[in-house]
Amino acid sequence: MSDVIARAGASEAARALFWDVFFSSRGRGVSLQVHFPWLENDREVTCLEIRDPSNLESAIAALIIRVIELPTGESVGLIGLVCVHEEWRGAGLSVELMSAAMDHAMHNGLSALVLWTQKPGIYDRHGFRFDEQDSIGSIYLPSECAENIEYVTSDWPGSDKHDRERGLPPFALHGKRIKSECAELILLGGANRVTLAEWQGEDSQVASLIQAVMAEPWVINVCAQSTLVAELTKRGFRVDLVPGAVRMIKWLTSRPLKVHPIKLIDRI
């Protein structure tokens, strides 16, 4: 068994591992501060890590638990950035991290642990269970597209403190907000594609704004409860979707709770 270190916030060693595994090795990324500014929040973020026994300054495995509060007042932990250095894979370190994460969560009174994955089978053995599944794909403009709506465009994240604390998802290099009187879109750019990551307003108003500003196909990520796709299809948009990430939950209480939909930008 390896020693798992738990600390508030993320150490420099863990940050270096996160950057190597999720960004530099994939040829992407701006900086950890841009993508995960909330790593600085020692009150809501715990990092679990395992150090290299031959070099205690280097992390060889790590994950993040970020605590959020549900509308019911109970707290759950979002798990993400689960990684093991390439040279140490296959040694069972991720199993040790997950076991430590569950111990930490129970000790700190969390009601559940939540994560998103493309490989749910990996987490079944840790007691995580399927909760819901996103859909991801592309949307294309209808052949007849006539919407004339006044709107304004600004950079995202902007100067608003809440926006700046959310950060860009790892796949994005920049973002922009498009806002009309009745609807708002957040678009993220990166790898020669535009992703509609978030929207606000009634479906009809959001669809009208999309129709007014969209000039090329966009990627869209929709949660199971979203009704926007039905509105777009009704308007003649072509929508090609495939199953996306699975949300899995490990309940730590005897009474399962309802976890509200968590927006793409707010996930780990």
Side-chain angles (χ1 to χ4, degrees):
M1 292 289 290
S2 305
D3 292 331
V4 179
I5 304 168
R7 56 162 290 158
S11 69
E12 290 303 317
R15 289 168 184 267
L17 180 64
F18 294 148
W19 184 257
D20 177 57
V21 171
F22 294 104
F23 294 97
S24 62
S25 65
R26 304 183 187 189
R28 65 183 187 182
V30 181
S31 70
L32 281 183
Q33 173 61 31
V34 168
H35 294 291
F36 306 120
W38 43 261
L39 280 176
E40 308 290 340
N41 190 331
D42 291 350
R43 294 190 307 275
E44 68 178 37
V45 172
T46 299
C47 180
L48 302 182
E49 61 180 91
I50 299 173
R51 295 291 178 99
D52 185 341
S54 64
N55 177 13
L56 295 179
E57 298 299 313
S58 177
I60 57 174
L63 62 75
I64 288 292
I65 301 174
R66 185 183 184 191
V67 176
I68 65 168
E69 189 173 296
L70 300 178
T72 58
E74 298 186 72
S75 296
V76 302
L78 308 185
I79 288 188
L81 298 179
V82 183
C83 61
V84 177
H85 190 284
E86 184 177 11
E87 295 180 3
W88 289 85
R89 290 170 190 168
L93 299 185
S94 62
V95 174
E96 293 180 31
L97 283 175
M98 293 301 297
S99 177
M102 287 181 276
D103 289 343
H104 175 85
M106 288 187 286
H107 179 75
N108 286 275
L110 299 183
S111 298
L113 291 172
V114 183
L115 58 80
W116 288 264
T117 180
Q118 299 281 359
K119 299 177 180 179
I122 293 176
Y123 297 99
D124 280 338
R125 59 185 171 180
H126 298 292
F128 284 81
R129 296 295 177 257
F130 176 93
D131 182 55
E132 62 181 33
Q133 185 166 25
D134 289 349
S135 295
I136 188 170
S138 298
I139 56 174
Y140 302 82
L141 280 165
S143 55
E144 294 184 8
C145 183
E147 280 286 353
N148 186 16
I149 296 175
E150 291 187 2
Y151 59 87
V152 294
T153 301
S154 59
D155 290 337
W156 192 93
S159 57
D160 180 84
K161 183 175 183 292
H162 173 67
D163 285 353
R164 287 187 285 108
E165 289 177 346
R166 299 179 75 194
L168 288 171
F171 64 82
L173 297 175
H174 51 80
K176 66 180 177 179
R177 172 185 278 116
I178 300 177
K179 192 170 184 179
S180 68
E181 183 179 1
C182 301
E184 179 178 312
L185 314 174
I186 294 180
L187 303 176
L188 303 177
N192 300 315
R193 67 179 189 174
V194 173
T195 297
L196 175 58
E198 197 169 300
W199 53 89
Q200 293 186 34
E202 295 182 5
D203 288 344
S204 59
Q205 297 164 339
V206 170
S208 292
L209 183 54
I210 292 173
Q211 206 163 338
V213 304
M214 186 177 170
E216 58 186 358
W218 290 350
V219 175
I220 186 172
N221 193 98
V222 290
C223 66
Q225 296 92 336
S226 177
T227 54
L228 178 61
V229 168
E231 177 66 26
L232 292 172
T233 302
K234 184 173 71 175
R235 289 172 176 244
F237 282 79
R238 189 178 115 211
V239 183
D240 296 336
L241 297 178
V242 297
V246 171
R247 186 170 85 173
M248 304 189 75
I249 298 181
K250 165 72 175 179
W251 296 109
L252 302 174
T253 65
S254 58
R255 181 173 60 88
L257 307 171
K258 176 64 178 176
V259 177
H260 63 283
I262 297 173
K263 296 178 180 179
L264 179 67
I265 294 173
D266 295 320
R267 303 176 188 177
I268 305 179

